[in-house]
Amino acid sequence: MELVRKLVRQRQLALLLLLSIVPVLGFGTFSYYTSLRLIEAEVKRTSKVAIAQMKEQVDQLLRQTEEVTGQLSLQAGMLQFVKIQETPLLGTLLAANDIRRDLANFSASIHAVDSVYLYHRKQQLVLTSNALLDLDSFPDTSWLPSLRQAAAERKSKLWITPRAIGPEAGKGPEALTYVLPLPYFYEEPDAALIVNVKAAVIADMIRSFPFDSRGGLLVFSPAGQTIVQAGQLRLETPDAIGAMLAGGAAAGGSRPVKLDTEAGAMYVTTERSAAYGFLYAMLIPVDAASRNAQLLRLWMVAATAALSLLSLFVAYFNVRQFQSGLRRIFLTLRGKGEANTEEEQEPFDADYAEGFVRIEKRIAALLKEMGEVRSQWKSQLSVLRDHFLLSALLGNHAGMDPWLRQKPAETTLFPDPVFCVLVAEMDATGENARFRSGEDAWLFLFAVANISQELLRDKFATETVISRQHVAVILNMPEHEADREAVRAAEKIRFAVSSYLKQTVTIAVGRPVADFRELSVSYLDALHALQEHWPKAGNEVVRGGQEPQAPVSVPYPAECESALLAAIREGDCGQAARELNAFFDGLNGSRLPFALIKTYAMQLLVSVIRLLQEYDPDLTRTFPGRSLYAEFAQLNASPSMCGWFSETVIAPGIDFLNGLKRLRMETIMERTKKLIEERYRQDLSLQLAAEQLGISPSYLSELIKQHWGETFIAYVTRYRIGKAKSLLLKTELNIADIAAEIGYGNATHLIRVFKKSEGLTPGEYRQRNRS
């Protein structure tokens, strides 16, 4: 008790305890929010790692399924099976047993595959690894409408995700179904391979979650449907999470998004598969991740409360001196310096006074620091002002609010009631121009913005905003004759830019508006006027809100386009290059503006893409991971555009089509060889072989000459002579029997053909080689 009395008598204790609340509260708050940020960053990082690993496994599984399915579809027995029409019945063919065995081996080779079907359209049958069933009696046909829609859209393959296997929708096991229409180049598919991948296998790919929490992983299809729920967390309505994520709730950043779900607040980290479009969402309970941070917050509150109570208890013994000191601090904050010495002050000892002097000095330093921060903020006011003006042009009222809240009261915006937006755009330039499109565009627009400010600031309140392609000039004018004054201002800017910068510019004038929050209307009106003016020569002032003029009639080089498409289809690189050069030489020689040349080039690009989509509908095999339209939009000169077409579009397109032709020719030659080996004993002709393969006799004859270097009859004769030699040496059959065995009608025919090929008769050949 004596020790406590001594501490109470030390009046500095009350001050120290009171001031100790500030660092404790500040440090605790800082630690709490810092720990939350670190926890959220760690949740994001670990979730991203887990999602990336699972995404890679799923993509690899689906790619393996596609590759094995493609290999199965190219087998000779499968190709022959697809070509069968209404007759003969599939159930009567021995080949059906071989295909069932292949389907069973397929299912066994990939553990994730649930089942594999082969659907035959002409006979309305489904062949599985166990049975051959009529389509009407087959229990699982929910994939059929998707196949018909894919056939109508000429798709080469599709994934149905998710899909319930069985006769009743939503009651069977969930699967990811891969459908491959056959044959590859079809007008209407004759058959289809259907592969069902078990969705449960995907759920088993993830075993643990960050912080050992009871989290969950959701996988959504590109349409937003739930494919898989993995982990201990189970949601009754997971599609609601998918809808929120599709609506933009999962924006990118260094921290995960926090969402309120039926299971409570969740940290949500997402990533989308570039190959298949699946959206992966990792859900971690907020409580589990931030448990330690909550304990820190409780400790901070308890420590602050304890220090506050203790300081009040100690101050109770010396309240009058404490009040006197606070009064001096209050006067310091008000900027009046020391208290009036004539007023009566409460005496207190030197130690207590020294403590309050230190407080006064620290408060004065704090006020000085606040002044420095305010001056720095004022120096950054221009950046905030630019953001405010850009938000106004785009109609983003939420982006305007920070300026309106924080701007100083003395900062004026626009004094007059009417606003009008001018949009200036750099015209197309030549090779020797002072400013080049693309390279010097920003420098040119910066100069235009400065010229506009200098010309108009004495007459109107003027602000400028520079974007990548144009500069917007915001005019604030009196209501009287605002439209006419805006056009005059635009003409002054256009003339000054042409005179000083030696470069032409097109300026669009938007309609005047009477409310600053409608500034986006004037801006969009000016942009629309620029777009309508795009094919014209430039160096003009155009006005928005007017009736569009009749389009300029210019010839389009349709003949060059047709010849170019024909060269691409034939795989002739040299002819395609010549036609492409003729296309652009004709446009450049017509002295058309670059804007119109780019329009025609865009039309050519669309025609080429449509041609390639006949063989690769989504262009993923021809141009993997690329966006041709986005690349085309960046081109700013005719020579570079011609080179881009040649190297980036035409060459890969021809390579892809030639690869398809080689694959088709190799398949045809393999089937032709097998047909000869199977039917050489019968009357076999080029016409009959072509009918069996579904191609014309002339095309088959040309392919055989290219690959085998001889005619069809010559190859068949050589094959039969080889079989005759084998029978002459290994059997005791007479010449007539051997002739019948290898497809000749009589011994005389065999003797004549054999002697022409080998230079001796069959009997002489047998006698010579046996001796």
Side-chain angles (χ1 to χ4, degrees), residues 32-96:
Y32 170 68
Y33 284 103
T34 301
S35 62
L36 277 182
R37 297 297 178 269
L38 292 175
I39 289 170
E40 291 175 351
E42 182 64 15
V43 168
K44 179 88 171 183
R45 186 190 67 80
T46 54
S47 298
K48 280 286 188 183
V49 171
I51 290 176
Q53 293 175 351
M54 182 172 182
K55 183 183 68 172
E56 180 62 28
Q57 294 181 51
V58 173
D59 289 353
Q60 183 176 358
L61 172 62
L62 299 185
R63 282 195 299 269
Q64 181 184 9
T65 302
E66 292 181 358
E67 291 172 359
V68 176
T69 306
Q71 294 170 5
L72 177 62
S73 67
L74 292 176
Q75 292 184 6
M78 186 67 68
L79 295 173
Q80 187 66 28
F81 183 89
V82 171
K83 296 297 291 184
I84 295 174
Q85 303 297 316
E86 287 81 358
T87 58
L89 297 178
L90 298 179
T92 64
L93 299 177
L94 293 177

Side-chain angles (χ1 to χ4, degrees), residues 70 74 225 311 415 572 602 752:
L74 292 176
Q225 297 174 297
S311 62
D572 190 343
M602 170 63 81
R752 184 174 63 252

Side-chain angles (χ1 to χ4, degrees), residues 424-569:
E425 185 176 61
M426 182 179 181
D427 291 335
T429 60
E431 293 294 333
N432 299 321
R434 184 178 183 182
F435 296 92
R436 295 188 179 182
S437 299
E439 300 176 0
D440 304 326
W442 190 89
L443 179 62
F444 174 77
L445 295 176
F446 181 76
V448 172
N450 288 336
I451 291 174
S452 303
Q453 292 272 20
E454 291 295 328
L455 286 177
L456 304 177
R457 67 180 178 181
D458 293 335
K459 191 170 185 179
F460 308 121
T462 307
E463 294 289 347
T464 57
V465 178
I466 303 175
S467 68
R468 291 181 60 186
Q469 298 180 345
H470 55 252
V471 56
V473 182
I474 303 173
L475 302 180
N476 179 225
M477 304 176 292
E479 188 173 0
H480 180 64
E481 295 186 345
D483 192 14
R484 182 181 301 176
E485 290 295 332
V487 174
R488 289 178 180 174
E491 288 289 355
K492 289 177 64 176
I493 296 173
R494 185 192 63 80
F495 179 77
V497 169
S498 178
S499 301
Y500 299 144
L501 302 182
K502 308 303 179 185
Q503 168 63 39
T504 61
V505 65
T506 299
I507 303 178
V509 182
R511 74 185 71 175
V513 294
D515 188 350
F516 183 74
R517 288 184 174 269
E518 296 180 0
L519 196 65
S520 60
V521 176
S522 181
Y523 177 63
L524 294 176
D525 195 34
L527 288 180
H528 182 67
L530 277 181
Q531 292 172 357
E532 290 184 343
H533 189 265
W534 189 40
K536 299 182 181 179
N539 194 22
E540 294 184 43
V541 173
V542 296
R543 298 177 61 182
Q546 295 181 333
E547 291 296 326
Q549 298 178 358
V552 179
S553 176
V554 292
Y556 176 75
E559 294 182 0
C560 290
E561 177 192 291
S562 300
L564 175 60
L565 296 180
I568 295 173
R569 196 183 295 273

Side-chain angles (χ1 to χ4, degrees), residues 384 387-388 391-392 396-403:
L384 188 60
H387 177 72
F388 165 75
S391 299
N396 181 13
H397 296 161
M400 299 163 58
D401 293 338
W403 165 269

Side-chain angles (χ1 to χ4, degrees), residues 285-352:
V286 172
D287 295 340
S290 59
R291 187 179 299 110
N292 293 332
Q294 300 299 332
L295 293 176
L296 178 63
R297 184 176 67 173
L298 293 176
W299 175 87
M300 178 187 68
V301 172
T304 304
L307 288 173
S308 299
L309 292 175
L310 187 59
S311 62
L312 290 174
F313 174 76
V314 175
Y316 174 76
F317 295 96
N318 204 10
V319 65
R320 297 188 65 186
Q321 290 86 344
F322 189 73
Q323 290 176 343
S324 177
L326 289 180
R327 182 173 181 274
R328 293 183 59 192
I329 294 174
F330 174 73
L331 292 176
T332 300
L333 290 174
R334 291 184 59 186
K336 293 185 178 181
E338 297 292 336
N340 191 348
T341 56
E342 295 180 0
E343 296 180 6
E344 183 180 356
Q345 298 189 20
E346 204 55 45
F348 49 88
D349 58 29
D351 293 339
Y352 204 100

